[in-house]
Amino acid sequence: MTHLVRSELLLLARNRMAVFNSVLVPVMIIGLLASGGDAGGDTAVVTGMLGFVLVGVLYYTLVSTYVARREDLVLQRLRVGVLTDLEILAGTAGPAVAVALGQMALFVAVGATAFGLPAPVNAPVLLLGVLLGTVVFALLAAVSTTFTRTVELAQVTTLPVLLVCVAGAGFAIPLDALPGPVAEALRWLPLSPTLELVRLGWLGRPGAGVLGVLGAAAAPAGLLAAWTVLGWVAVRRWFRWSPRR
């Protein structure tokens, strides 16, 4: 598995566009945020960027990676070796996950230094949200390869997930501005509980201590755990290891 991660990291480093998206784009975004920070909405901006990393970087990158390895028969050859299916998927996703976690750590650091945001009230809850969100979107990427025939089509097939998850997190339109049933349905999407855990871990809840934050985190954490189980079941059921003909 270590060799698999190392080879995937080497392939990622050789892909100039992937390096640009993984390294230079976040640096440019950080520069813009640091130069035009607004103390009133800094936390929302930073947490929003964490969500963007999950859907715009991790999810999309992994869909393209899994499809490329499948069409090149890499996944099919790996299955005849000693690695389990889970180890193959995790090893292939390793570099993209590492890049995404590094970007999120960078955004948190910039939020604390450039924006002067307070230290997290409950760091374990924040970390739980990041890790569970990473697992869920990695599984969603694997499921999305089922209806993605080529790497080029990944730009099209990932768009609905990106748009719906972003809408569910309230980036473009606040959920309170939407009709009640629509807003309630969008809150069940995986990005919403992820960012809720991040905000709870960072800012806490007015009038609630550490135990109060843990109690408030139970519902979004349980929802992400359910998404994790559903994602793994879907991967076991529909993920294709050989090229689609």
Side-chain angles (χ1 to χ4, degrees), residues 198-223:
V198 170
R199 295 188 187 104
L200 281 172
W202 202 328
L203 300 177
R205 178 162 289 184
V210 175
L211 293 179
V213 172
L214 292 176
L223 182 55

Side-chain angles (χ1 to χ4, degrees), residues 11 27 31 37 52 59 61 73 89 102 122 142 153 174 177 182-184 189 201 212 222:
L11 290 172
V27 170
F52 168 77
Y59 170 72
T61 299
L73 304 179
L89 293 174
N122 196 316
L153 276 178
V182 176
E184 187 61 28
L189 298 176

Side-chain angles (χ1 to χ4, degrees), residues 86 93 189 216-217 240:
L86 179 59
L189 298 176
R240 299 176 65 97

